[in-house]
Amino acid sequence: MANPSPLPRISWQALFVGAMFAFMYLPIAVLAAYSFNESAYSANWEGFTLQWYQRLLTDVRIFSALKNSLIVALTAVVVSAVLGTLMAVGLARYRFPGKKLYLGISYLPLIVPDIAIAVATLVFLAAVGFSLSLWTIVAAHIVFCLAYIAIVVSTRLADLDPNLEEAALDLGATPTQAFLKVLLPQLMPGIVSGCLLAFVLSMDDFLIASFTAGAGATTLPMEIFSRIRTGVKPDINALSAILIGVSGVLAFVAEYLRYRSEAGKAR
């Protein structure tokens, strides 16, 4: 009789990784599951329903907050994409006095806590006399979106061959034409990837937006926070599940673009 095959051994590293993934993603799975719970309270499961998703479609406050968040995120990302790309190219291609100091300051939003940025922005706006509104949120979001896009574009720029621009200039192209027709198409995967990352971060921001928002300028995270102070409702579970799904898709697209970019460089 043949000996039974030995059971596969599971290393402690695999167990640790599995436990970490369960710790991170099990709450998300529970939240998504309870968004289909028929009960108005999340404690007990009373059956499957789509009513909470249907209720979101008629929630005027949610759609108003979503509109504000989209205006803030899209405007901040577009402005940051232009400025961040130019900043990354300037830092990589040119030398000027104080370059290292400027480089360190420009990436500070990546390491400074959000609460510090929020307080500093509020103090600055009060000092210069700006009244808080939706556009002050946009200005505050540009600060950290700019840093994220610039660092992604800089990473892409560091792997490019600078001789391509020089060849274009030798063939009669102007510096502007060399940038638009040679450098920019190669940077585009990094720019798009950075924009997607900045968009998700802007849509998700609560602290900075709450400190710099004026009357009536309520973003989606602010609206969600105002509703969960008295307890999490199933419609908020449904909204959170949708936001997690959209964020996951954007993250996948950004990673796919980065992978395609690196694969293209390898060829």
Side-chain angles (χ1 to χ4, degrees), residues 167-196:
L169 295 173
D170 291 340
L171 292 172
T174 65
T176 302
Q177 290 173 332
F179 174 76
L180 294 177
K181 296 184 178 181
V182 177
L183 184 59
L184 189 61
Q186 298 180 84
L187 292 178
M188 194 55 66
I191 295 173
V192 174
S193 179
C195 287
L196 291 175

PDB file of all heavy atoms in Angstrom, residues 167-196:
ATOM      1  N   ALA A 167      19.446  64.729 -28.495  1.00  0.00           N
ATOM      2  CA  ALA A 167      19.335  64.366 -29.903  1.00  0.00           C
ATOM      3  C   ALA A 167      18.260  65.187 -30.605  1.00  0.00           C
ATOM      4  O   ALA A 167      18.440  65.627 -31.752  1.00  0.00           O
ATOM      5  CB  ALA A 167      19.039  62.876 -30.030  1.00  0.00           C
ATOM      6  N   ALA A 168      17.144  65.404 -29.924  1.00  0.00           N
ATOM      7  CA  ALA A 168      16.081  66.220 -30.511  1.00  0.00           C
ATOM      8  C   ALA A 168      16.541  67.657 -30.730  1.00  0.00           C
ATOM      9  O   ALA A 168      16.236  68.272 -31.759  1.00  0.00           O
ATOM     10  CB  ALA A 168      14.849  66.190 -29.608  1.00  0.00           C
ATOM     11  N   LEU A 169      17.300  68.194 -29.775  1.00  0.00           N
ATOM     12  CA  LEU A 169      17.825  69.556 -29.922  1.00  0.00           C
ATOM     13  C   LEU A 169      18.836  69.631 -31.055  1.00  0.00           C
ATOM     14  O   LEU A 169      18.871  70.602 -31.818  1.00  0.00           O
ATOM     15  CB  LEU A 169      18.455  70.013 -28.603  1.00  0.00           C
ATOM     16  CG  LEU A 169      17.502  70.169 -27.419  1.00  0.00           C
ATOM     17  CD1 LEU A 169      18.286  70.463 -26.139  1.00  0.00           C
ATOM     18  CD2 LEU A 169      16.491  71.280 -27.684  1.00  0.00           C
ATOM     19  N   ASP A 170      19.656  68.594 -31.208  1.00  0.00           N
ATOM     20  CA  ASP A 170      20.639  68.571 -32.293  1.00  0.00           C
ATOM     21  C   ASP A 170      19.969  68.489 -33.654  1.00  0.00           C
ATOM     22  O   ASP A 170      20.526  68.958 -34.662  1.00  0.00           O
ATOM     23  CB  ASP A 170      21.586  67.382 -32.115  1.00  0.00           C
ATOM     24  CG  ASP A 170      22.505  67.557 -30.914  1.00  0.00           C
ATOM     25  OD1 ASP A 170      22.674  68.712 -30.465  1.00  0.00           O
ATOM     26  OD2 ASP A 170      23.015  66.540 -30.404  1.00  0.00           O
ATOM     27  N   LEU A 171      18.784  67.890 -33.700  1.00  0.00           N
ATOM     28  CA  LEU A 171      18.058  67.765 -34.962  1.00  0.00           C
ATOM     29  C   LEU A 171      17.224  68.996 -35.292  1.00  0.00           C
ATOM     30  O   LEU A 171      16.482  68.995 -36.281  1.00  0.00           O
ATOM     31  CB  LEU A 171      17.151  66.532 -34.923  1.00  0.00           C
ATOM     32  CG  LEU A 171      17.893  65.179 -34.901  1.00  0.00           C
ATOM     33  CD1 LEU A 171      16.916  64.037 -34.671  1.00  0.00           C
ATOM     34  CD2 LEU A 171      18.655  64.975 -36.199  1.00  0.00           C
ATOM     35  N   GLY A 172      17.314  70.030 -34.473  1.00  0.00           N
ATOM     36  CA  GLY A 172      16.658  71.290 -34.780  1.00  0.00           C
ATOM     37  C   GLY A 172      15.422  71.606 -33.974  1.00  0.00           C
ATOM     38  O   GLY A 172      14.790  72.640 -34.201  1.00  0.00           O
ATOM     39  N   ALA A 173      15.063  70.753 -33.024  1.00  0.00           N
ATOM     40  CA  ALA A 173      13.886  71.032 -32.199  1.00  0.00           C
ATOM     41  C   ALA A 173      14.215  72.122 -31.178  1.00  0.00           C
ATOM     42  O   ALA A 173      15.352  72.226 -30.697  1.00  0.00           O
ATOM     43  CB  ALA A 173      13.433  69.770 -31.484  1.00  0.00           C
ATOM     44  N   THR A 174      13.232  72.930 -30.857  1.00  0.00           N
ATOM     45  CA  THR A 174      13.393  73.919 -29.791  1.00  0.00           C
ATOM     46  C   THR A 174      13.256  73.218 -28.444  1.00  0.00           C
ATOM     47  O   THR A 174      12.740  72.089 -28.374  1.00  0.00           O
ATOM     48  CB  THR A 174      12.332  75.021 -29.914  1.00  0.00           C
ATOM     49  OG1 THR A 174      11.031  74.432 -29.703  1.00  0.00           O
ATOM     50  CG2 THR A 174      12.371  75.677 -31.297  1.00  0.00           C
ATOM     51  N   PRO A 175      13.713  73.844 -27.350  1.00  0.00           N
ATOM     52  CA  PRO A 175      13.540  73.213 -26.030  1.00  0.00           C
ATOM     53  C   PRO A 175      12.088  72.877 -25.717  1.00  0.00           C
ATOM     54  O   PRO A 175      11.806  71.836 -25.108  1.00  0.00           O
ATOM     55  CB  PRO A 175      14.104  74.264 -25.074  1.00  0.00           C
ATOM     56  CG  PRO A 175      15.112  75.004 -25.885  1.00  0.00           C
ATOM     57  CD  PRO A 175      14.555  75.060 -27.270  1.00  0.00           C
ATOM     58  N   THR A 176      11.168  73.747 -26.127  1.00  0.00           N
ATOM     59  CA  THR A 176       9.751  73.464 -25.894  1.00  0.00           C
ATOM     60  C   THR A 176       9.286  72.255 -26.682  1.00  0.00           C
ATOM     61  O   THR A 176       8.558  71.389 -26.167  1.00  0.00           O
ATOM     62  CB  THR A 176       8.900  74.692 -26.262  1.00  0.00           C
ATOM     63  OG1 THR A 176       9.327  75.814 -25.497  1.00  0.00           O
ATOM     64  CG2 THR A 176       7.425  74.428 -25.993  1.00  0.00           C
ATOM     65  N   GLN A 177       9.702  72.168 -27.953  1.00  0.00           N
ATOM     66  CA  GLN A 177       9.324  71.017 -28.776  1.00  0.00           C
ATOM     67  C   GLN A 177       9.946  69.729 -28.245  1.00  0.00           C
ATOM     68  O   GLN A 177       9.292  68.680 -28.230  1.00  0.00           O
ATOM     69  CB  GLN A 177       9.769  71.256 -30.219  1.00  0.00           C
ATOM     70  CG  GLN A 177       8.978  72.324 -30.945  1.00  0.00           C
ATOM     71  CD  GLN A 177       9.553  72.637 -32.309  1.00  0.00           C
ATOM     72  OE1 GLN A 177      10.754  72.491 -32.545  1.00  0.00           O
ATOM     73  NE2 GLN A 177       8.692  73.064 -33.224  1.00  0.00           N
ATOM     74  N   ALA A 178      11.191  69.809 -27.781  1.00  0.00           N
ATOM     75  CA  ALA A 178      11.835  68.617 -27.218  1.00  0.00           C
ATOM     76  C   ALA A 178      11.101  68.142 -25.974  1.00  0.00           C
ATOM     77  O   ALA A 178      10.953  66.935 -25.743  1.00  0.00           O
ATOM     78  CB  ALA A 178      13.297  68.921 -26.904  1.00  0.00           C
ATOM     79  N   PHE A 179      10.625  69.095 -25.163  1.00  0.00           N
ATOM     80  CA  PHE A 179       9.891  68.720 -23.958  1.00  0.00           C
ATOM     81  C   PHE A 179       8.540  68.102 -24.307  1.00  0.00           C
ATOM     82  O   PHE A 179       8.173  67.051 -23.759  1.00  0.00           O
ATOM     83  CB  PHE A 179       9.689  69.949 -23.076  1.00  0.00           C
ATOM     84  CG  PHE A 179       8.809  69.702 -21.880  1.00  0.00           C
ATOM     85  CD1 PHE A 179       9.283  69.025 -20.771  1.00  0.00           C
ATOM     86  CD2 PHE A 179       7.489  70.148 -21.862  1.00  0.00           C
ATOM     87  CE1 PHE A 179       8.480  68.778 -19.683  1.00  0.00           C
ATOM     88  CE2 PHE A 179       6.676  69.919 -20.782  1.00  0.00           C
ATOM     89  CZ  PHE A 179       7.172  69.237 -19.681  1.00  0.00           C
ATOM     90  N   LEU A 180       7.796  68.741 -25.212  1.00  0.00           N
ATOM     91  CA  LEU A 180       6.434  68.292 -25.522  1.00  0.00           C
ATOM     92  C   LEU A 180       6.402  67.009 -26.343  1.00  0.00           C
ATOM     93  O   LEU A 180       5.526  66.161 -26.143  1.00  0.00           O
ATOM     94  CB  LEU A 180       5.674  69.397 -26.272  1.00  0.00           C
ATOM     95  CG  LEU A 180       5.385  70.677 -25.492  1.00  0.00           C
ATOM     96  CD1 LEU A 180       4.700  71.713 -26.388  1.00  0.00           C
ATOM     97  CD2 LEU A 180       4.516  70.394 -24.276  1.00  0.00           C
ATOM     98  N   LYS A 181       7.366  66.821 -27.263  1.00  0.00           N
ATOM     99  CA  LYS A 181       7.300  65.693 -28.185  1.00  0.00           C
ATOM    100  C   LYS A 181       8.215  64.535 -27.815  1.00  0.00           C
ATOM    101  O   LYS A 181       8.029  63.418 -28.309  1.00  0.00           O
ATOM    102  CB  LYS A 181       7.641  66.173 -29.599  1.00  0.00           C
ATOM    103  CG  LYS A 181       6.631  67.166 -30.154  1.00  0.00           C
ATOM    104  CD  LYS A 181       6.949  67.534 -31.590  1.00  0.00           C
ATOM    105  CE  LYS A 181       5.906  68.498 -32.147  1.00  0.00           C
ATOM    106  NZ  LYS A 181       6.173  68.854 -33.566  1.00  0.00           N
ATOM    107  N   VAL A 182       9.210  64.784 -26.957  1.00  0.00           N
ATOM    108  CA  VAL A 182      10.140  63.716 -26.592  1.00  0.00           C
ATOM    109  C   VAL A 182      10.007  63.344 -25.116  1.00  0.00           C
ATOM    110  O   VAL A 182       9.792  62.183 -24.769  1.00  0.00           O
ATOM    111  CB  VAL A 182      11.595  64.132 -26.902  1.00  0.00           C
ATOM    112  CG1 VAL A 182      12.566  63.039 -26.458  1.00  0.00           C
ATOM    113  CG2 VAL A 182      11.754  64.408 -28.389  1.00  0.00           C
ATOM    114  N   LEU A 183      10.125  64.350 -24.247  1.00  0.00           N
ATOM    115  CA  LEU A 183      10.157  64.054 -22.805  1.00  0.00           C
ATOM    116  C   LEU A 183       8.768  63.775 -22.243  1.00  0.00           C
ATOM    117  O   LEU A 183       8.581  62.804 -21.497  1.00  0.00           O
ATOM    118  CB  LEU A 183      10.800  65.222 -22.061  1.00  0.00           C
ATOM    119  CG  LEU A 183      10.992  65.031 -20.550  1.00  0.00           C
ATOM    120  CD1 LEU A 183      11.862  63.819 -20.266  1.00  0.00           C
ATOM    121  CD2 LEU A 183      11.594  66.280 -19.930  1.00  0.00           C
ATOM    122  N   LEU A 184       7.786  64.616 -22.580  1.00  0.00           N
ATOM    123  CA  LEU A 184       6.461  64.480 -21.977  1.00  0.00           C
ATOM    124  C   LEU A 184       5.794  63.139 -22.270  1.00  0.00           C
ATOM    125  O   LEU A 184       5.209  62.538 -21.350  1.00  0.00           O
ATOM    126  CB  LEU A 184       5.567  65.638 -22.432  1.00  0.00           C
ATOM    127  CG  LEU A 184       4.209  65.758 -21.733  1.00  0.00           C
ATOM    128  CD1 LEU A 184       4.403  65.971 -20.237  1.00  0.00           C
ATOM    129  CD2 LEU A 184       3.407  66.920 -22.317  1.00  0.00           C
ATOM    130  N   PRO A 185       5.849  62.615 -23.526  1.00  0.00           N
ATOM    131  CA  PRO A 185       5.237  61.288 -23.748  1.00  0.00           C
ATOM    132  C   PRO A 185       5.861  60.190 -22.900  1.00  0.00           C
ATOM    133  O   PRO A 185       5.175  59.246 -22.490  1.00  0.00           O
ATOM    134  CB  PRO A 185       5.488  61.046 -25.247  1.00  0.00           C
ATOM    135  CG  PRO A 185       5.599  62.413 -25.833  1.00  0.00           C
ATOM    136  CD  PRO A 185       6.286  63.233 -24.786  1.00  0.00           C
ATOM    137  N   GLN A 186       7.168  60.293 -22.621  1.00  0.00           N
ATOM    138  CA  GLN A 186       7.813  59.277 -21.786  1.00  0.00           C
ATOM    139  C   GLN A 186       7.436  59.430 -20.313  1.00  0.00           C
ATOM    140  O   GLN A 186       7.433  58.455 -19.561  1.00  0.00           O
ATOM    141  CB  GLN A 186       9.328  59.374 -21.942  1.00  0.00           C
ATOM    142  CG  GLN A 186       9.819  59.101 -23.355  1.00  0.00           C
ATOM    143  CD  GLN A 186      11.329  59.204 -23.436  1.00  0.00           C
ATOM    144  OE1 GLN A 186      12.042  58.252 -23.135  1.00  0.00           O
ATOM    145  NE2 GLN A 186      11.832  60.355 -23.823  1.00  0.00           N
ATOM    146  N   LEU A 187       7.147  60.664 -19.916  1.00  0.00           N
ATOM    147  CA  LEU A 187       6.753  60.904 -18.525  1.00  0.00           C
ATOM    148  C   LEU A 187       5.276  60.625 -18.268  1.00  0.00           C
ATOM    149  O   LEU A 187       4.865  60.535 -17.115  1.00  0.00           O
ATOM    150  CB  LEU A 187       7.048  62.366 -18.145  1.00  0.00           C
ATOM    151  CG  LEU A 187       8.508  62.792 -18.051  1.00  0.00           C
ATOM    152  CD1 LEU A 187       8.598  64.277 -17.710  1.00  0.00           C
ATOM    153  CD2 LEU A 187       9.246  61.972 -17.015  1.00  0.00           C
ATOM    154  N   MET A 188       4.483  60.506 -19.333  1.00  0.00           N
ATOM    155  CA  MET A 188       3.037  60.418 -19.164  1.00  0.00           C
ATOM    156  C   MET A 188       2.580  59.267 -18.270  1.00  0.00           C
ATOM    157  O   MET A 188       1.674  59.462 -17.447  1.00  0.00           O
ATOM    158  CB  MET A 188       2.364  60.313 -20.541  1.00  0.00           C
ATOM    159  CG  MET A 188       0.861  60.555 -20.487  1.00  0.00           C
ATOM    160  SD  MET A 188       0.421  62.135 -19.705  1.00  0.00           S
ATOM    161  CE  MET A 188       1.113  63.294 -20.887  1.00  0.00           C
ATOM    162  N   PRO A 189       3.154  58.046 -18.358  1.00  0.00           N
ATOM    163  CA  PRO A 189       2.713  57.001 -17.407  1.00  0.00           C
ATOM    164  C   PRO A 189       2.933  57.401 -15.959  1.00  0.00           C
ATOM    165  O   PRO A 189       2.083  57.139 -15.096  1.00  0.00           O
ATOM    166  CB  PRO A 189       3.573  55.787 -17.796  1.00  0.00           C
ATOM    167  CG  PRO A 189       3.937  56.023 -19.216  1.00  0.00           C
ATOM    168  CD  PRO A 189       4.105  57.506 -19.355  1.00  0.00           C
ATOM    169  N   GLY A 190       4.078  58.025 -15.661  1.00  0.00           N
ATOM    170  CA  GLY A 190       4.322  58.478 -14.296  1.00  0.00           C
ATOM    171  C   GLY A 190       3.385  59.590 -13.874  1.00  0.00           C
ATOM    172  O   GLY A 190       2.937  59.635 -12.724  1.00  0.00           O
ATOM    173  N   ILE A 191       3.080  60.499 -14.795  1.00  0.00           N
ATOM    174  CA  ILE A 191       2.164  61.602 -14.485  1.00  0.00           C
ATOM    175  C   ILE A 191       0.772  61.057 -14.179  1.00  0.00           C
ATOM    176  O   ILE A 191       0.142  61.450 -13.189  1.00  0.00           O
ATOM    177  CB  ILE A 191       2.117  62.604 -15.655  1.00  0.00           C
ATOM    178  CG1 ILE A 191       3.479  63.277 -15.839  1.00  0.00           C
ATOM    179  CG2 ILE A 191       1.037  63.658 -15.423  1.00  0.00           C
ATOM    180  CD1 ILE A 191       3.563  64.152 -17.076  1.00  0.00           C
ATOM    181  N   VAL A 192       0.291  60.153 -15.016  1.00  0.00           N
ATOM    182  CA  VAL A 192      -1.048  59.582 -14.805  1.00  0.00           C
ATOM    183  C   VAL A 192      -1.090  58.792 -13.505  1.00  0.00           C
ATOM    184  O   VAL A 192      -2.053  58.888 -12.728  1.00  0.00           O
ATOM    185  CB  VAL A 192      -1.447  58.703 -16.003  1.00  0.00           C
ATOM    186  CG1 VAL A 192      -2.774  58.003 -15.726  1.00  0.00           C
ATOM    187  CG2 VAL A 192      -1.553  59.545 -17.272  1.00  0.00           C
ATOM    188  N   SER A 193      -0.049  58.014 -13.239  1.00  0.00           N
ATOM    189  CA  SER A 193      -0.004  57.235 -12.000  1.00  0.00           C
ATOM    190  C   SER A 193      -0.004  58.154 -10.785  1.00  0.00           C
ATOM    191  O   SER A 193      -0.725  57.915  -9.810  1.00  0.00           O
ATOM    192  CB  SER A 193       1.243  56.353 -11.992  1.00  0.00           C
ATOM    193  OG  SER A 193       1.322  55.607 -10.806  1.00  0.00           O
ATOM    194  N   GLY A 194       0.796  59.228 -10.825  1.00  0.00           N
ATOM    195  CA  GLY A 194       0.812  60.188  -9.721  1.00  0.00           C
ATOM    196  C   GLY A 194      -0.513  60.896  -9.552  1.00  0.00           C
ATOM    197  O   GLY A 194      -0.957  61.156  -8.426  1.00  0.00           O
ATOM    198  N   CYS A 195      -1.170  61.212 -10.669  1.00  0.00           N
ATOM    199  CA  CYS A 195      -2.474  61.883 -10.592  1.00  0.00           C
ATOM    200  C   CYS A 195      -3.527  60.989  -9.955  1.00  0.00           C
ATOM    201  O   CYS A 195      -4.356  61.457  -9.162  1.00  0.00           O
ATOM    202  CB  CYS A 195      -2.925  62.306 -11.996  1.00  0.00           C
ATOM    203  SG  CYS A 195      -2.037  63.710 -12.679  1.00  0.00           S
ATOM    204  N   LEU A 196      -3.511  59.703 -10.301  1.00  0.00           N
ATOM    205  CA  LEU A 196      -4.479  58.777  -9.700  1.00  0.00           C
ATOM    206  C   LEU A 196      -4.248  58.650  -8.206  1.00  0.00           C
ATOM    207  O   LEU A 196      -5.203  58.629  -7.411  1.00  0.00           O
ATOM    208  CB  LEU A 196      -4.373  57.409 -10.374  1.00  0.00           C
ATOM    209  CG  LEU A 196      -4.844  57.323 -11.825  1.00  0.00           C
ATOM    210  CD1 LEU A 196      -4.559  55.950 -12.407  1.00  0.00           C
ATOM    211  CD2 LEU A 196      -6.326  57.640 -11.942  1.00  0.00           C
TER     212      LEU A 196
END
